Amino acid sequence: MRLTVTAPLTFAWEATPTQAPAPGEVRTRTRLSALSVASELAVVLHGPFPARLGYQTLGTVEAVGEGVTLRPGTRVVTTMGHAGAGLHRAERVVPVPPEVPDRVALAAILGEETHKGVRRVSPQPGERVLVAGAGLLGLLTVFNLTRRGVRDVTVLEPDPARRALAEAFGAVACAPGELPHDAFDVGFECSAAPAGFAELLAHLRPRGRACVLSDGNWGTLILPPAFHAHELSVVASSDGEDYAAYAAWLWRHADPLLERLYPVTVTPAELPATYARLCETPRPVSVVVDWGEGQDA
């Protein structure tokens, strides 16, 4: 079964036929799928409809087509979303080493997507970096920065629990309104909030640069006066470029701290009601769907 949204907060389970993999294909059985809360809520509330939900998936190879070297039983990460099983091109699945825990492995998908944004603005070790928002995108951005040598990282976040988690990941965390303007060289918009985006740009030095990683935004992101006054550069980043290459790096830096990104676990049957609960604050950083039970939803 695969979860789809057909109208605002209206869900349906779509049957996914079990097919033999064609040459070059892999069929996987889902173990876990994870929510990217802001991005998925944007679709759940505003469409377009109908739409399939989710994209961070960890599963097990069930069968392979001709020419595929992966063996059945191999644990993999992929971008299937909230579905019990599915077919993929072999190059779209990434094997997970036995020593890497499931929930650490889930971070490979959004980890690469946030790291692509880091690559686009290329913070240097001596630069001051500000991240707006300590949700899943923001915390993975902090992880990528601090584990690659950028030590001066500050997070702007209103939720005290998320600020504490950002500090555990190696950042300094502050509430909105506490930081001086013109203090940072590079910024990352991960808050999904127009006010957060405006404050982020206000804190950048002249000729500073920023990357917008959030896409499920709670309103339109508008360029504030600081964008023009300080001649800032703003770029966007979306899907990753090379999940396998990022995963190879992540397996070498498989910090158990990443498991704290997924504090809530639900069954597939509980997933539709979970989206409704996520419309209210405070929200967890992410939610994991455990497909070990409730496959028939």
Side-chain angles (χ1 to χ4, degrees), residues 214-242:
S214 58
D215 55 3
N217 299 310
W218 310 106
T220 302
L221 302 184
I222 298 173
L223 295 172
F227 172 74
H228 301 280
H230 287 175
E231 298 182 351
L232 304 177
S233 300
V234 178
V235 299
S237 185
S238 184
D239 293 344
E241 293 172 319
D242 193 335

Side-chain angles (χ1 to χ4, degrees), residues 173-266:
C174 298
E178 295 183 354
L179 292 173
H181 286 196
D182 307 349
F184 296 89
D185 303 287
V186 182
F188 291 93
E189 162 46 38
C190 303
S191 70
F197 176 62
E199 184 166 357
L200 174 79
L201 295 192
H203 292 312
L204 296 185
R205 292 171 175 156
R207 306 290 176 88
R209 56 202 191 277
C211 181
V212 178
L213 289 169
S214 58
D215 55 3
N217 299 310
W218 310 106
T220 302
L221 302 184
I222 298 173
L223 295 172
F227 172 74
H228 301 280
H230 287 175
E231 298 182 351
L232 304 177
S233 300
V234 178
V235 299
S237 185
S238 184
D239 293 344
E241 293 172 319
D242 193 335
Y243 295 98
Y246 179 82
W249 175 85
L250 181 63
W251 307 154
R252 299 193 300 273
H253 299 80
D255 193 329
L257 185 63
L258 291 167
E259 297 186 78
R260 294 176 61 184
L261 298 174
Y262 311 102
V264 176
T265 303
V266 300

